[in-house]
Amino acid sequence: CASPALMEIHELSAVDLARALKAREVSSREAVEALFARADEVDGAVNALTHRFADDALTAADAADRLRGRTKDPGPLLGMPVTIKESIAIAGRPQTLGIPGRVQNVPGHDAVTVRVLRELGAVVIGQTNVSQTLLFNESDNPVYGRTNNPWNLDRTCGGSSGGEGAAIAAG
């Protein structure tokens, strides 16, 4: 399916992206590729993402696109790219909470949140930065460093979900 003219996928709200996916105005692969391209542009300065799962995300996006062509009601999240806070378990991916002594902590299973998102068709594209132990006022930790506010790089992002907030704000 072709992308709508002049459409900036990274500027769409989740609701608008879900509508565009369902209407086949954009494919899940196109959305995932656009978000990775946007991350390439801005995340070096923002540092919102701790890990990107390009191969797995593109495989899941392609599967969602094929399924969309075979079902009348794909549900609200089929093919929707999402990021997961680094503190939430993703099978085979680090879960450090920003603590250097936990860099080898790799869960063998998805947290319920991740499992349900995947069951609903969401495409996990990566993990986002957190404050150390989720208890500090800024998203900064000795494992992944500081997440910057994308609107003012001299400021950090607050709270334990600063990486998520920065990723959303940066598109």
Side-chain angles (χ1 to χ4, degrees):
C1 76
S3 297
L6 305 175
M7 180 182 216
E8 293 289 342
I9 292 171
H10 72 272
E11 294 177 334
L12 294 175
S13 70
V15 170
D16 288 340
L17 180 55
R19 183 202 51 74
L21 287 165
K22 189 171 187 172
R24 297 186 191 171
E25 294 170 356
V26 64
S27 70
S28 182
R29 175 175 269 274
E30 288 171 320
V32 168
E33 288 176 340
L35 294 176
F36 281 136
R38 178 64 177 169
D40 288 343
E41 290 175 19
V42 301
D43 201 47
V46 175
N47 193 36
L49 299 172
T50 60
H51 295 90
R52 298 182 202 182
F53 311 143
D55 291 340
D56 290 345
L58 290 170
T59 298
D62 289 342
D65 289 337
R66 285 191 302 274
L67 181 58
R68 179 170 282 101
R70 297 190 314 260
T71 184
K72 288 185 185 221
D73 183 13
L77 296 181
L78 183 64
M80 175 66 80
V82 299
T83 54
I84 304 294
K85 189 173 171 174
E86 196 268 357
S87 61
I88 299 173
I90 300 175
R93 306 299 182 165
Q95 183 187 26
T96 71
L97 301 153
I99 301 169
R102 290 179 52 97
V103 295
Q104 299 302 320
N105 184 52
V106 179
H109 65 281
D110 286 341
V112 171
T113 304
V114 176
R115 182 177 48 81
V116 170
L117 284 167
R118 290 187 201 270
E119 287 172 359
L120 292 173
V123 175
V124 178
I125 65 171
Q127 289 173 297
T128 56
N129 206 7
V130 297
S131 64
Q132 190 175 23
T133 66
L134 310 178
L135 295 175
F136 293 92
N137 293 331
E138 293 129 6
S139 284
D140 188 0
N141 65 69
V143 177
Y144 301 112
R146 178 176 121 157
T147 297
N148 296 312
N149 182 323
W151 294 339
N152 182 344
L153 298 176
D154 293 328
R155 298 186 179 269
T156 65
C157 288
S160 67
S161 297
E164 283 292 318
I168 292 167

